[in-house]
Each structure stands twice: as C-alpha cells, then as structure tokens.
Amino acid sequence: MNPILGIRGAVVAPNSLAAQAGLEILREGGNAIEAAIATASTLAVVYPHMTGVGGDGFWLLHQPDGPVRGVDACGAAGQRVLPDLYKGLNTIPWRGPLAANTVAGTVSGWGLAYDYGRRNWSGRLPWPRLLETAQYYAREGFPVTHSQAANTRTKQVELESQPGFAYAFMPDGRIPSYGQRHRFPALAVTLEQLAREGADAFYRGDLARKIAADLGHVGSPLAAADLAAHQARFVRPLDLRLPDATVFGLPAPTQGLASLAILGIYGRLRQPGWSPETVEGIHALVEATKQAFQVRDRYIADPQTMEVDLQSLLSDSAFDAMTSGISLSHASPWLAPASDEDTTWFGVIDREGRAVSMIQSIYFEFGSGVVLPETGIAWQNRGCAFCLQPGRLRSLVPGRKPFHTLSPALTRLDDGRLLVYGTMGGEGQSQTQAAVFCRYVWGDWNVRSAVAAPRWLLGCTWGETNTTLKLEARYSRHVIDGLRDLGHPVEVVQEYDERMGHAGALVFHPAGWIEGGEDPRSDGCVAAW
C-alpha cells in the first residue's frame, strides 16, 4: 500500500468526512490546531457511536524546534457523585444516568488549544468557522457508516431504554441502515450556540445552564457547579529515549506510561530478525505489554492523588525490573480485567511542520447511552472506571478524575522526521502504537502499510469478557501455532477486525513533504494537499 502524499498539510481520521473537514481548514490558511478542532467537532457528529461533545479529550502538540506540549481535557466526578449513590451495587453501572457522573471535558480542550494556537501558531481563522462543518452535518444529515449501524444493532437491547437514546439513534424506532442520512437537530442547535459564544459556553453561562438542567432531567448526579469548576490544562508529556527516536505520551490519568513502557521493554529484548511479523517479536511485545500494564495499574490514577514521578518509571532501572519478569520461552499468566472503549484518534500536520495528535472519547460505544433531550448531547460513562471500594488507587471520590486508556502518540526521529500516530481501542491502543512504531521506525515499512498490516490484541475490548490473545487471520499458520506453543491463548479473528482499533499515522519529513496512512478497519482516510 503506497502512502498518501502531501506538501501543504494533511489530516488522518477514522471518518473521511471529518478528515476532509480538517483539510478544508488547512486550505483556508488554518494551522494544525484549527484543523484539529474542525476534525474533532465533525467526528462528534458523523461518528457518534465513538465520540462526541459529551466526552473527554487529550492532545499532544508539536512545533519545530520547540517542546512538545500536552493538553488534559478530562472531566472529574461531580461533587454529588458519592459512593452512597451506588449503595447495594458492587460496581458503577456501565449505562444509564448514574453512569453519566463525570464532567465532559473535550470541548474545553478545543478552547484551550484554540487560544494557544492564536497566540503561538499564528492562528487566524475565527472560532465559528471551525465548527461550521459539524453544524452542517448535524442539521442537514450525514451518511451512516457500517460501524455506526452495526454498533447500534449490537447494543440496541442494552441501550434503547436509556433516556433519549432511541430518539437520537433509532429514528422512527428503527436501526439506521448503511448510507442512510442521519440528523441530530438538537445537537446542531448546541453547536451553533458554541460557535457563537465560544468553548467556555459549555461550562459557564446560558448553554451550561441548559446542559445542567438536561442532566438533572435525565437523572444524572452532575450539576451546574460541576461544569463551572472544570478547566482544561496544559501538562508536560512523558518522554522516552529509544534507539533512533524519542517517543512522547501523556501522563496520568492516561495510560501514556504503558505505551512508552512497552517500547522501552521491547527495545531491550529485541534481537535481529524480530518484528511484529515473527513469533519471537510478537511474544516479546505481548510480554512487554503485560509488564507495562502491571506497572500502569499499580500507579496511574488521578494525577493529584499520585505520589510517584511517572517519568522515573521510564528509567533504566525500572526497565531492568520489568524485563527481568519476562521469559522468552513461555507466556506468563494474564488475568486482565474486562475493558471496553470507543474512541476516535486523529492527527494533523500543517505546512510548517506543526502537528497535533489528538484523541477524544465517550468511553463505551455510545457512552452512558444517555442523550440529553434539549441539547442533544450523548454523555460519556468514563466514571465507571472508578472503584466503589474505599481506599483503593482509583476509588470514587467527588472531584477526582477517572483512569483513561486514552493515549495519543508522537515520535521525533533522530533524522528529523516526525511521526504522529494513534488509534482507538481501549487497552489495544498501546499495543497498536507499538506495532506501528516498530514497523515504521525499526522495520522500514512505509507508513500506510505499517498501519494496515495484521495486528494482535492482548485482552478484551468492546464489551467482551475473555482476555485471549487475538490475532487477525492474515497472520500465517506458523505464527499462530508458534504463539500457541509458547502458551498464549490465541484466538484467530477476522482479517481486518474492528476490535484492533481504528489507527492512523502521518509523517512529516524535514524536506517539507508529508506522507500518511489510514486504517482499512475504519471509515477514514488521509486528506492531504
């Protein structure tokens, strides 16, 4: 597969309409941040089962000869979200009003990044222009993807009784079919008000009061004061020095640590000839994933409650300890907890080499399943990542942020290239990032083929309960049998399985040209010029 090429900018996203919305902004002279906001807002409409304005978001921002910056646009649990609210339950419900218990932060990230871009990236396009395409699709309609139709069908019984869900996602009581035009009129009005008043209107002012009233109407414990207390913030990314490159990820509450640790561990184990195509290479990456996830789950929680310096967990001594727990001759036991996540990652690079790696999520497919009646917002269920047991690492406490598997990625290569990449897919995010990195940076694959190539997934995603090692059927029998011989519980899945995530990648070359690759498992594309 030949990469898509450009010289004046490029966008990769898991929905082609969203990628083109970002490209329109680049064509009008917008910078990468402005194009990212147009892409993000359009995704919130045309890929509604995966993302929306009712979720959270995280950014990595790169500019040549400058530091990489991170944006944390994650909301916290409301002040009335107390364990007693879930009395008699062992866990927070995955669906329904009591699952809509954390503030939606993603719009605050749009606003913070927009202001930063105007001050530091010569941003000049007006805010309303960036939401224009999203408003159009919400008001006039967009064609339903196979992914939206299939996920609506799969989750119908689970979600159709939730407040507002059937009205928003099942017009006339039917599951929308592929290609059918789908509208969100109430959301269109909300986007129009955001365009007029700015991102802060989501949290303070008339629109915020409407949202809070909507939340109260459906039975969510969130209140206007919770919205007003929220602020997105800049954070310092984690970084890891590897042979040929420096990799960047976000700190807590994301699993960025795990994404970097997998590469750090594998870099120590890797031997000539190993790759994501060989038994030895996949085994080493899977075992590195187990070690990285154990460290992640031992330390990562709300950043204000943590006492450990996460950067110290990416040291030589830390990797020595993690690597010592790995056998190259057999698989270690793995009893990972069930995980579920729906997300959209996208990347943008402009003609100046400024770049955005951004991810936004409503957590499970369709989030909490609750759609607010007046504002049309589908609200996330990120708060079900909290634990109801007191005194635990991720115990539910009002004002705390939940753990996130979200982790956008960005790599600076020593030869001057910039790799912007990521994916959706819960715990599969870190694993897919490792596969793309290893193929492109260490394996000399072209970037489009590196994204499309066969992948694996340790653990579960999208509502499954088993934690097998899933391999796409394009892997050879030699690889499948070899991993089974090492003791891995291999499950062979479809050739291009959506559970492996919707990945994408862009590369900026020092000579000024861009190449990119989209995921054939998604509905996306690389839009370049």
Side-chain angles (χ1 to χ4, degrees), residues 225-524:
D226 300 318
L227 297 175
H230 174 78
Q231 294 280 355
R233 65 190 185 98
F234 287 108
V235 294
R236 181 177 179 179
L238 302 172
D239 63 87
L240 175 63
R241 179 69 192 147
L242 293 169
D244 308 317
T246 300
V247 188
F248 296 88
L250 283 170
T254 83
Q255 69 166 347
L257 172 75
S259 297
L260 302 189
I262 291 170
L263 290 174
I265 297 166
Y266 179 68
R268 289 178 167 238
L269 298 173
R270 184 170 63 106
Q271 298 179 19
W274 289 15
S275 75
E277 282 60 59
T278 66
V279 173
E280 297 82 2
I282 297 172
H283 172 72
L285 282 161
V286 169
E287 294 304 304
T289 298
K290 294 175 184 178
Q291 294 294 319
F293 282 0
Q294 288 176 34
V295 172
R296 177 199 69 184
D297 292 338
R298 190 178 305 138
Y299 295 109
I300 301 233
D302 183 311
Q304 296 187 36
T305 68
M306 294 172 51
E307 298 180 357
V308 65
D309 175 11
L310 292 183
Q311 190 65 49
S312 70
L313 300 177
L314 298 171
S315 65
D316 287 343
S317 59
F319 286 138
D320 285 342
M322 289 183 245
T323 306
S324 67
I326 292 176
S327 168
L328 298 181
S329 61
H330 61 84
S332 60
W334 185 242
L335 297 174
S339 173
D340 203 344
E341 177 145 2
D342 273 307
T343 302
T344 51
W345 174 90
F346 62 88
V348 183
I349 298 177
D350 64 27
R351 71 176 74 189
E352 304 297 332
R354 296 172 301 212
V356 170
S357 180
M358 195 271 194
I359 197 162
Q360 60 182 31
S361 169
I362 52 175
Y363 201 23
F364 289 20
E365 58 284 276
F366 301 104
S368 65
V370 172
V371 182
L372 305 187
E374 184 176 358
T375 55
I377 300 170
W379 210 266
Q380 67 182 356
N381 61 336
R382 179 61 59 176
C384 66
F386 284 118
C387 173
L388 290 177
Q389 299 295 321
R392 302 288 180 86
L393 178 67
R394 299 169 186 163
S395 293
L396 173 62
V397 175
R400 282 190 183 175
K401 293 184 176 184
F403 166 70
H404 273 267
T405 50
L406 303 183
S407 55
L410 187 149
T411 293
R412 285 174 167 170
L413 280 74
D414 293 351
D415 61 11
R417 285 175 292 167
L418 175 72
L419 172 64
V420 175
Y421 59 118
T423 184
M424 50 75 77
E427 293 190 333
Q429 289 181 43
S430 298
Q431 300 173 64
T432 292
Q433 288 173 14
V436 172
F437 177 95
C438 291
R439 284 171 170 141
Y440 180 76
V441 177
W442 289 337
D444 293 326
W445 287 52
N446 78 59
V447 69
R448 196 176 186 205
S449 295
V451 170
R455 295 207 290 263
W456 69 91
L457 170 66
L458 172 68
C460 52
T461 187
W462 290 26
E464 296 182 341
T465 57
N466 67 67
T467 56
T468 56
L469 176 60
K470 299 169 182 65
L471 268 71
E472 289 184 320
R474 288 179 290 151
Y475 273 110
S476 70
R477 177 54 57 185
H478 168 76
V479 169
I480 293 169
D481 290 344
L483 289 167
R484 282 178 173 150
D485 289 343
L486 289 172
H488 293 284
V490 173
E491 176 186 354
V492 179
V493 298
Q494 298 176 38
E495 292 186 347
Y496 291 90
D497 200 300
E498 191 176 41
R499 288 172 292 181
M500 299 294 162
H502 295 168
L506 298 173
V507 178
F508 183 80
H509 291 261
W513 57 286
I514 304 166
E515 58 180 342
E518 79 288 0
D519 199 325
R521 304 163 185 83
S522 76
D523 298 283

Side-chain angles (χ1 to χ4, degrees), residues 147-213:
S147 181
Q148 180 185 340
N151 277 277
T152 307
R153 185 178 305 108
T154 301
K155 298 298 178 181
Q156 176 184 359
V157 173
E158 182 179 339
L159 294 175
E160 62 185 343
S161 63
Q162 298 301 336
F165 179 85
Y167 179 80
F169 287 105
M170 297 172 58
D172 303 318
R174 293 190 295 269
I175 296 169
S177 59
Y178 171 67
Q180 177 181 334
R181 184 170 290 200
H182 197 122
R183 296 175 177 85
F184 294 118
L187 182 59
V189 175
T190 296
L191 290 168
E192 289 164 6
Q193 189 165 356
L194 278 174
R196 289 193 308 270
E197 301 177 10
D200 195 60
F202 194 97
Y203 305 95
R204 287 158 281 275
D206 178 60
L207 177 58
R209 285 190 290 272
K210 290 180 184 177
I211 294 171

